[in-house]
Amino acid sequence: MNTSIVELVDNLPTDNLTVKVLNALDYIVPGKWENLVGFDNTISAITGETKNKKIAKIRDRAIDLYNDKQQGYQTAIWLYRTVDATDKAVAAAALADKIGDAFRFIPFLDKLTPKADLVQSVDLRIKLVAELIAYSKLNGITLNPSKFVASVRENYQKEALMRMVALVCIDGVLPLGTNFVPKVRNDLENRDNLAQDPAFNAVSQFIPTSDKRSFINESFNTTGDWMTNLISSAGITRESLANRMRGFVNVADDKLDYLAAFLDGATNYFEHTGIQTVARTLINRAYREVN
């Protein structure tokens, strides 16, 4: 049985490494993300409603919408959770009992292996496509990379915008450098075997074309300029990101690729903000429908 959307939002952490990392990235889009936890609290924060009966009415309608499998809400949650789970598979075992309260890095440095650049570039592309698919499911529209990037530029706010920022920083800049967009575009020409990637196997069923690789590459190409502009306008560098993380992770300047591997294994920013995005979409729709 699927976990209810209420339970998913109620169980979001108020403070863990994922939350610390997202808060550390807040300087890039100041004040755009708030860690909303608890479904009723999220209803109040989004709608401004404070009366228990009205909140309950919105909650009940949101539950009905989420449970309707003809809607795309459960699929979006599955995508957000699945691509995050595949991202951390390699590092999770090494990290599980070694993080500690202070999230010290050096003791398990030797347990981590940074991903090869080509593997990292594939993971980045797959996560981006998962976001595109989830976006289309939540909005009931067909997959269209050009319309997706237009929405990222014009409409993405709150948790959705923070998720894209984190994607650029954690899956792009930290492992591959600030010039990762042309690097990944160049990698697109290489004959990487996507079928061996577990994240690809998870999302490929939702790509409505036989040439799935071309669709994935097109999705990255259309979004690349937005990513480049974000890096430039916010002055994002590997060193600036590491400095923001140093309050809770100790890492040497020459080990930033290991920091990326650590964050792959120890955070679930895609799932965390994805749950919040689905909840916001549901609550806004439920609020309109009960009024």
Side-chain angles (χ1 to χ4, degrees), residues 95-168:
L95 295 171
D97 61 350
K98 298 189 180 289
I99 294 175
D101 291 340
F103 305 110
R104 296 307 181 197
F105 191 72
I106 299 303
F108 49 91
L109 191 63
D110 59 334
K111 301 289 187 181
L112 290 171
T113 303
K115 294 174 182 173
D117 284 0
L118 188 56
V119 174
Q120 186 66 52
S121 117
V122 170
D123 283 355
L124 174 58
R125 280 178 275 158
I126 299 299
K127 263 190 173 176
L128 183 64
V129 169
E131 176 66 28
L132 189 165
I133 296 168
Y135 169 80
S136 69
K137 293 291 184 182
L138 292 176
N139 292 278
I141 59 177
T142 56
L143 292 177
N144 186 310
S146 296
K147 289 184 178 180
F148 167 69
V149 73
S151 186
V152 171
R153 288 195 191 102
E154 300 165 13
N155 302 322
Y156 262 44
Q157 296 290 329
K158 306 294 184 179
E159 306 86 8
L161 181 58
M162 179 54 78
R163 185 168 54 260
M164 289 295 292
V165 167
L167 178 67
V168 169

Side-chain angles (χ1 to χ4, degrees), residues 267-287:
T267 66
N268 64 330
Y269 77 87
F270 224 68
E271 175 183 0
H272 187 107
T273 60
I275 289 170
Q276 291 174 326
T277 291
V278 174
R280 182 179 293 276
T281 305
L282 273 169
I283 288 167
N284 279 328
R285 180 176 170 183
Y287 182 59

Side-chain angles (χ1 to χ4, degrees), residues 10 29 52 67 83 104 215 263:
D10 284 349
V29 282
N52 290 336
N67 289 339
V83 295
R104 296 307 181 197
F215 181 86
L263 294 177

